Amino acid sequence: MTLDLPWGQLLVNGLALGSLYALTAFGIVLIFKTTQVITFAQGETAMFSTFVAFTLLTAFQLPFAVAFVLTMLFAGLFGALIERVVLRHISTTTVLNPVIVTVGLSLILLGAAGWIWGYEIRTFPDPVVGPPFHLGTVVVSQLNALIFLVTLVLMTVLFAFFRFTRTGIAMRAVAENRVAAQLMGISIGRMNALGWGMGTAMGAVTGMLIAPINYLDPGMMGDVALKAFAAAVVGGLTSLPGAVLGGLLLGIIDSVAGFEVAELRNTIAFALIVLVLVGRPGGLLGRHETKKV
Amino acid sequence: MVRWLRTRGRAAAPYALGLAAVLVLPAVLGVIPGVAPGYVLYLVSLALIYAVVAIGLGILIGHTGQISLGHAGFFAIGAYASALLTLRLGLPFVVAVLLAGSVSAAIGFLLGLPALRLSGPYLAVATLGFGLAIPQLAVWQGSWTGGSSGLHGLPLASLPLGAFTIVFRTDQDYYYLAAAVLIVLTIFARNVVTSHTGRAFVAIRDSEIAARAMGVDLVRYKTTAFALSALYAGIAGGLYAHLLHGISPEDFTVLLSVDFLTMIVLGGLGSVGGALSGALLLTFLQNALTRLPVVHDFKNLYIVVLGAILILTIAFLPHGLAGVARSVRLRWAARPRDRASRVDQIVELGEGSGVR
């Protein structure tokens, strides 16, 4: 391996990719914090939403911004619906149950998408076209710039939401202590549905922004979801900033690794998970929960 | 002998019947018209091999409470190890499969070490990553694993017995081999889960802290559970490679890991018999679905059915088929024996209380 790499370019590409991982990881952590369920369906709900966006863009010829917002709304409702219809009725006395059920959900979504849209690989319409920006020797494509912009806006909005709105504070209270939050008059059910809705919408954003880079087919989010998982776990499943940090970190590693040993990108993600967790079982910024008997 | 039959015979009867069914199945298939016994036996062998994995996975998830979403990884390790040992080193089949199981068990032990510090969702993600990494490593090390096209032309399975050697040529031979391995490993698993090791596993599942307070050595038993379940998956992988005479990285996807998970969830977590029945049922279901004339896109249907089985089982049959069987058995044992004696009982009770 030589160290003679285009570091600046890899860093910018990695940060763009990492922003997308971070968004999905953020969704996973959000759902985990509010509902105590780690969802293995995050990638597939995102994929499904991206197909909805594709249909809106091609069949209905909507402008990208409109389709983007409509898809986020769809994903939000979809996530809330999943919580209402499926997860609310599953006993969470063991950690196994939610894992198994969300794996089941992801399979159903995968099959359904294959049924509706088929397995042919499609190209997703480019949201932005135009000449790339140049920063010295580093090239930033319009798409990457859009990714940075969207991530920044979403993160700011979410930060404000959790800091300043009643609902946001209520969600944090639920994450902190469910029983106490319930005693304060917060509806746990509504917060669970909201958490699922928001988390799923975040995944949908990733899907819509990564589809123009990669491709569109039912398997498109498989690798991305694994990276997002790795990001969430590395950052700490209980920490929202940790998810962002983990995502960016993974994006950069992925971008450099993709340049050197492209075949091993998943393996590197796995090795990273194990290494970080052995050192810090709660992730980089997470708390390691101590259980009571 | 008569006394033994009277006391233990009743309990042993189902096993004797099961064994008889295993032995005569090929003969029965040969008689049914319109059925290709070879193909059916090939499918049954596949189901039996999957059952071996399911039993091992059941010990890990059902008894010890340590989730794995990457057992296709261990299965792949076993398959690749035995294929390489027979192809490249020319080792006999039996030795290769046993070594493959050992290699897989050793890697299971190693994966068990980080798993000591991981719980629940973290472990699920880590094992998922493991399952994805193994086929990728196989592609990467293409010079000796054959890359993405895999390894082909494996020798026939054979068993040297002193002076002469049994060679498993036909599907029927292989069926007997797979059934024998499954029977031995089932008995072994049943013994393990009822031994002190099995009780330590269950104690860990129910509460790690309480188990530790009772003197259960977490390091020892968690790594043992991982190694044991990897051993089962590894041996099964070796059998699989030789059943198909060839393997490629595409055989060992995440979907296969989910298949294994579905088998034990459907059969019932924490039950050896459940894992066995879940594996048989799912393999046949998978095959039956490919045969439905209405479906032209089998893969989608199968994935949806698999997902539905997972969700519905957890929602409505939390103890799987084994739980259903148990409740039926209990109800049967508690049935009213016969009418007359009940009437007598009621009369007796009435007399006792002075009511006429």
Side-chain angles (χ1 to χ4, degrees), chain A residues 107 119 263 266-267 278 281 291, chain B residues 67 117 121 126 136 209 300 303:
Chain A
L107 292 179
Y119 281 91
E263 309 96 320
N266 285 346
T267 312
V278 168
K291 259 182 285 179
Chain B
I67 197 165
R117 305 198 55 173
Q136 214 169 50
I209 296 169
N300 294 328
I303 295 175

Side-chain angles (χ1 to χ4, degrees), chain B residues 120-175:
Chain B
Y122 290 95
L123 187 60
V125 176
T127 50
L128 179 72
F130 170 76
L132 282 167
I134 295 298
Q136 214 169 50
L137 286 171
V139 174
W140 182 53
Q141 281 297 325
S143 54
W144 49 290
T145 59
S148 48
S149 58
L151 295 165
H152 297 279
L154 269 59
L156 286 171
S158 60
L159 182 64
L161 278 179
F164 61 99
T165 305
I166 305 176
V167 181
F168 299 93
R169 276 177 216 289
T170 63
D171 290 314
Q172 184 171 336
D173 299 345
Y174 209 88
Y175 158 77

Side-chain angles (χ1 to χ4, degrees), chain A residues 63-79:
Chain A
F64 190 84
V66 179
F68 188 87
V69 173
L70 282 180
T71 306
M72 272 187 81
L73 281 177
F74 163 81
L77 288 175
F78 190 44

